[in-house]
Amino acid sequence: MIASATALAVVLALFFFARPLYKSSSRILITPSLTENGFSSVAAELNSVGNTSFFSSFQDLYYLFRSSELIDIVVSGMNLDKEYRDANSFRKPILYGRNQPFSLELLNLGPEDEFRARIFKLDGHSVRIVSGKDDKAVALGDTAVVNGAVLVPRMESGWDSCPEEVIFRKTDYFSVLDRCISRWDVVPMDKDVFGFDLSYKDESQERASDVILAVLDAYADFNRKAKAEGVEKSDRMLMDRLADVGSKLGIVDDNITSYKSSNLVLDVRKKGTISFRDGFAANSEIEDLEFEGEMLLYMLGQIDSCRTNGLTTLLPTLVPVESGNSLYRTVDDFNDKLLIRNRLIASGGIKSKVSVDLYAQLEELLESIEAGINTRLSSIDASVYNLESMSGKVEKALRTDPKHESYLRSERMRQQFLQGTYIYLSKMLEENRIASHFYANAIRVIQSPSGSGIPFFPSRRFLVLLFLGIAVCPVLLFYLYSRLLDDRVFSVKELRCFGINPVATLKENPDQKEIDSLSDKVYSLGYDNPTTVFGVVSVNVGSGKSYISRIVSENLAAHGENVVLVDCDLRKGTVSAQFQELSEVKNALASYLANSSAGNLDTIIYKVGNLDVIPVGDLPANPAEIISSPAFDAFVNELRKRYKFIILDCPPINIIADTMEVSRALDKTLFVIRAGLFRRFLFEDVTEVIRNQSLPGLHFIFNGLKR
């Protein structure tokens, strides 16, 4: 009952006084091209030419979302170190958003400074601010000094909704930051999905959702700046490389033209049949057409990639001027429409009518671009064929001289290498610029921040579990202690586990039937002998051996048996104390054995009803010497001559050695074990007695069983 009452009091206190925490959750997906296992080709190629990768891995994004820098931006931007509470409500809830009527701008307090005030609504758009010993009325928008703080109250929402009293508190900024970090949680989604589950716990459900949105905004700003710096750095590097390669390519072209011009004049003079000047022009035009063809083939590859990705990839704008301004404008129009559609998809509008219409327009533009490129490629092929037939005659003249052929082959190889490098770097530059368009859409929110409106803490489940824990735990601990840690023996089964099988059992407050049954068991142990000396012993105090000695003796005497009960506990005299008429007896066993006067045995035998009793009398100073004396042996032998049943009540065997001294005179030993008092470690003492046969005719009686 005490545990249940305590549990109920704790639960009620939490329910009424604990400030609830609400949980808001959101789910976001990361653009695959920005994840660790999905780097775009431009990122991989920029890494290959020595540029630092500007794409964050999935793990880096995880640590960024959990970073204190990001939460710091949110705490500072939302002023989370300032709290406004409704003083008139029982739990003093947070006033935030639409419920926050005004705010206090503190002009002279630092991040670590704290300030508290009670603000009362006054008529005429003014407030009364009480802090410390200061009490001032301030109009909204005016500046005032209250308790050392320079502050300006400003209206935030409807003045009519303002509570009569508001509690304002500015807390140490860094402690608030630590608290917000502890309430912020980021959990990666399934390993096959690149995304996170975001959650935040706060006293206001609305503020918890706004914190998540603020974190996403802070990340977007942070990511946009970082990526823009990376793009700018990569752009400069690629432009420098392109300028260098273009310069070298121009030098090689000039070398080839100059060499041909200087060495073919002699051939003209010799043969005079070929217009070498036309041949030079043809070669130069072929080179320009081949370069243009390479660029257009690259465009076709990007178109195929765009189709594969579901029309989500921008096309490069590297369209040569020779291919026509109309084709360039078509590509630019395609990219503009694609960026619009990507923004719609990022905001969850993939199935909207605008998005579907844009998709159809993008397909038409893509087909138009592809058709224009194929037409231009066919024209280039025809032009190259005609020009090659003209330049072939010039080349044939050059091949007649091995020296000319070797030099031109070497320069041609340099020219082809530089052309390939130039095209490659041009691709990289365009992809680098295209990639910058995707940074704003690096994150896609698939579940907006929301909560159930039910407190996360203390929740109903928590309160129920707390109640059960406080109410049940003490009972459970008590049970475990009584069953697992408590080494007391309570049942006959436990005795038998240690090899002890009692001949009789006796319950607490036994009735006459149980006493008769115990007496019959004792009688059966000695009925076939002329006389039997029983020693009643136990292993510890309080086992009930003196009680059993008395009731067995009285029951046997009531049935006409010749019985004498002897109190051999010369240190306490427990049996003697149980008979009121014998409590003041002086002449008894102790004086009899001390004087060795066996002749006057009758003087120490007292009649109590039908039972003969020999009490202790005055307790001697040397009980061990008296018990071990020959007078005790003579005393027992004299009793054997007079009685059939002689019951000696002995002291506990593990307290003193008197019982072992008495054992030499015994025929049978009744060993009393009490339930709930006998402990398992005492089995060692009992086992040693059994093993050494220290007590003759040993029989066990289990006393004190629960009813």
Side-chain angles (χ1 to χ4, degrees), residues 67-82 111 171-182 184 200 202 207 210-211 214-215 218:
S67 66
S68 58
E69 290 81 2
L70 209 60
I71 305 300
D72 186 15
I73 296 173
V74 175
V75 174
S76 176
M78 296 183 64
N79 293 319
L80 294 181
D81 57 337
K82 299 176 183 177
T171 313
D172 173 31
Y173 180 86
F174 300 102
S175 64
V176 174
L177 178 61
D178 293 339
R179 184 182 65 199
C180 292
I181 292 174
S182 66
W184 172 252
Y200 185 76
D202 195 88
R207 190 166 71 174
D210 287 349
V211 166
V215 169

Side-chain angles (χ1 to χ4, degrees), residues 300 303-304 306-307 311 315 327 330-331 334 359-375:
L300 287 178
I303 290 173
D304 292 339
C306 182
R307 281 203 176 98
L311 299 187
L315 294 179
L327 183 58
T330 306
V331 172
F334 176 86
Y359 187 84
Q361 295 176 23
L362 289 173
E363 285 186 330
E364 293 178 1
L365 288 173
L366 203 61
E367 291 176 358
S368 175
I369 294 169
E370 189 174 23
I373 291 175
N374 288 329
T375 301

Side-chain angles (χ1 to χ4, degrees), residues 173-223:
Y173 180 86
F174 300 102
S175 64
V176 174
L177 178 61
D178 293 339
R179 184 182 65 199
C180 292
I181 292 174
S182 66
R183 292 179 176 181
W184 172 252
D185 194 19
V186 181
V187 179
M189 294 170 62
D190 186 79
K191 62 182 181 179
D192 296 328
V193 180
F194 299 108
F196 301 110
D197 287 320
L198 311 177
S199 64
Y200 185 76
K201 297 178 281 292
D202 195 88
E203 291 183 45
S204 167
Q205 181 75 73
E206 183 182 358
R207 190 166 71 174
S209 299
D210 287 349
V211 166
I212 296 178
L213 292 175
V215 169
L216 294 177
D217 290 341
Y219 165 77
D221 292 340
F222 179 85
N223 186 57

Side-chain angles (χ1 to χ4, degrees), residues 541-584:
V541 178
S543 297
K545 63 174 182 58
S546 299
Y547 171 74
I548 289 177
S549 300
R550 180 175 64 82
I551 62 173
V552 169
S553 301
E554 290 176 342
N555 191 271
L556 290 175
H559 286 79
E561 299 295 335
N562 191 12
V563 184
V564 63
L565 173 60
V566 182
D567 190 352
C568 289
D569 189 353
L570 302 184
R571 299 176 185 271
K572 296 183 67 176
T574 305
V575 167
S576 302
Q578 292 183 7
F579 296 97
Q580 186 176 0
E581 55 266 45
L582 302 179
S583 59
E584 301 295 332

